[in-house]
Amino acid sequence: MMDANSKIYVAGHNGMVGSAVVRRLAKDGYPNIVVRSHRELDLTDPAAVDAFYASERPDVAVIAAARVGGIGANSRANSSFLYENAMIAMNTVWSAARHGVKRLLFLGSTCIYPRLAPQPIREDALLSGSLEKTNEGYALAKISGLKLCEFIRRERGLVYHSLMPTNLYGPGDNYDIENGHVLPTLVRKFDTARGKVVLWGTGSATREFLHVDDLAGACLFALGLENPPDLMNVGSGEEVTIRQLAGMVAKAVGSNAEIVWDSSKPDGTPRKLCDTSLIRSLGWKSEIPLEKGLEMTIRSYREELASGKIRL
Ligand code: GFB
């Protein structure tokens, strides 16, 4: 298990999830954190990743590195989402086991579940049906990663386990309106609107949103369990239609722009609410309601914009 002396590698520390995990580790008194930027270590390169683990020898690894994007980016580039994410997952998990990393937490996404899984989606819905086509590549890569952890745990007794968070948002998000996820994209679109805002799909799909600081808390919680389940969902239970989300974002940004729905764009999975009874039964629950999280996000968006550090 992880303790204050553990050497902890956080893969993907410059991303929204990895940076939230690093912030939380620092806050909770874990001083020995190892990171590498993309430029220093290419996680799709097996030899480089193996050499990194051989020289650093961390005790614990948190795999938050991934190539991510919203429905637009995923559906345009399923091949690279599959290739890059599968390479990152295989290399970071496999070499960790080769070099004696005792504990590993792998992060995925609830898009690993079948498109039409019964709602709320339980962990045992995994591999029970066909995937959503818009993000099939990403989902297949993440399924391979979580299965690799499961197999290594079963065969070698190393406690490698996974969390599947629902749609995330928070500081350091990507506000690129072509490639980003829906929440940051809507913030950007409403903030820059001139009278009209064009949104994708019909607005009737629903999504569940979780603030990334809540996920970071869940990561530390899961790493503190002696015998965690192989796979646990992490969600807020706060499900809204995209139309409702648009109303909330417009209000939070202070925009009166008229919304136009472009139904030539996909809705994606009609509904994606995860069942969190497993992690809640063990003692974790989310703490940041969507309305408050949105206000926090608008503040961090404006700060990132003013400092020029925003990802657009
Ligand atoms: O976050 P998002 O892009 O991806 O949300 P997914 C897509 C939903 O928001 C669809 C609607 O119903 C879209 O029609 N939407 C409306 C918009 N306007 C916009 C807009 O301007 N931009 C975007 N992006 N969406 C992703 C997966 O799925 O979720 C990833 O592709 C990952 O693999 C991630 O799992 C969490 O929720 O559909």
Side-chain angles (χ1 to χ4, degrees):
M1 259 170 50
M2 190 167 76
D3 61 43
N5 299 316
S6 302
K7 186 172 187 180
I8 306 164
Y9 169 48
V10 180
H13 74 289
N14 280 321
M16 178 172 76
V17 173
S19 57
V21 170
V22 168
R23 280 197 304 277
R24 183 62 188 250
L25 284 168
K27 182 169 160 240
D28 286 10
Y30 295 92
N32 202 354
I33 303 170
V34 181
V35 293
R36 288 290 185 280
S37 68
H38 193 153
R39 199 177 305 165
E40 290 164 334
L41 176 61
D42 176 1
L43 296 176
T44 65
D45 176 347
V49 174
D50 208 64
F52 161 76
Y53 278 112
S55 70
E56 280 292 346
R57 300 206 160 267
D59 304 302
V60 177
V62 180
I63 310 304
R67 168 160 179 196
V68 299
I71 196 166
N74 267 274
S75 49
R76 269 193 308 277
N78 265 293
S79 63
S80 19
F81 276 80
L82 171 56
Y83 175 75
E84 287 177 36
N85 288 306
M87 292 300 279
I88 293 170
M90 294 301 108
N91 295 337
T92 53
V93 176
W94 184 257
S95 287
R98 255 173 59 80
H99 295 289
V101 173
K102 292 185 275 302
R103 181 79 182 238
L104 182 143
L105 177 65
F106 180 74
L107 292 169
S109 156
T110 53
C111 70
I112 58 157
Y113 293 117
R115 169 182 163 82
L116 298 177
Q119 308 281 324
I121 313 171
R122 288 157 41 114
E123 287 84 354
D124 61 12
L126 182 68
L127 294 172
S128 63
S130 307
L131 297 166
E132 158 66 26
K133 291 290 176 207
T134 54
N135 54 220
E136 198 175 15
Y138 184 78
L140 286 167
K142 289 296 183 183
I143 292 171
S144 304
L146 77 89
K147 281 290 172 190
L148 184 58
C149 292
E150 195 182 309
F151 299 153
I152 287 173
R153 185 175 187 178
R154 200 191 302 153
E155 292 163 15
R156 318 224 345 222
L158 294 166
V159 183
Y160 286 20
H161 57 121
S162 306
L163 290 181
M164 295 301 128
T166 192
N167 285 38
L168 299 167
Y169 68 98
D173 214 336
N174 179 4
Y175 291 90
D176 175 339
I177 57 171
E178 290 303 322
N179 297 308
H181 287 102
V182 61
L183 193 150
T185 299
L186 264 52
V187 168
R188 184 71 184 153
K189 282 187 174 176
F190 279 107
D191 189 47
T192 55
R194 302 271 169 277
K196 241 176 33 178
V197 149
V198 179
L199 302 185
W200 297 352
T202 62
S204 63
T206 70
R207 292 291 182 271
E208 177 190 14
F209 293 96
L210 180 75
H211 194 280
V212 72
D213 289 348
D214 267 339
L215 172 65
C219 290
L220 269 76
F221 171 79
L223 284 166
L225 297 173
E226 202 168 327
N227 189 21
D230 284 330
L231 175 63
M232 282 195 290
N233 290 338
V234 191
S236 62
E238 283 208 68
E239 186 187 26
V240 291
T241 63
I242 298 299
R243 190 178 295 272
Q244 286 168 328
L245 177 73
M248 293 175 79
V249 172
K251 185 167 165 242
V253 172
S255 162
N256 298 317
E258 182 203 346
I259 300 173
V260 178
W261 294 97
D262 176 359
S263 56
S264 69
K265 292 280 205 294
D267 274 336
T269 306
R271 210 180 155 199
K272 196 166 45 170
L273 173 66
C274 66
D275 185 324
T276 51
S277 16
L278 180 57
I279 194 166
R280 280 189 288 116
S281 72
L282 298 172
W284 179 88
K285 63 175 176 34
S286 69
E287 286 171 0
I288 307 174
L290 180 55
E291 212 171 314
K292 180 171 168 221
L294 249 183
E295 276 170 31
M296 291 159 65
T297 299
I298 306 297
R299 230 176 296 136
S300 55
Y301 160 76
R302 297 207 191 288
E303 284 164 15
E304 287 164 33
L305 200 57
S307 69
K309 289 197 183 125
I310 196 154
R311 293 167 61 205
L312 283 174

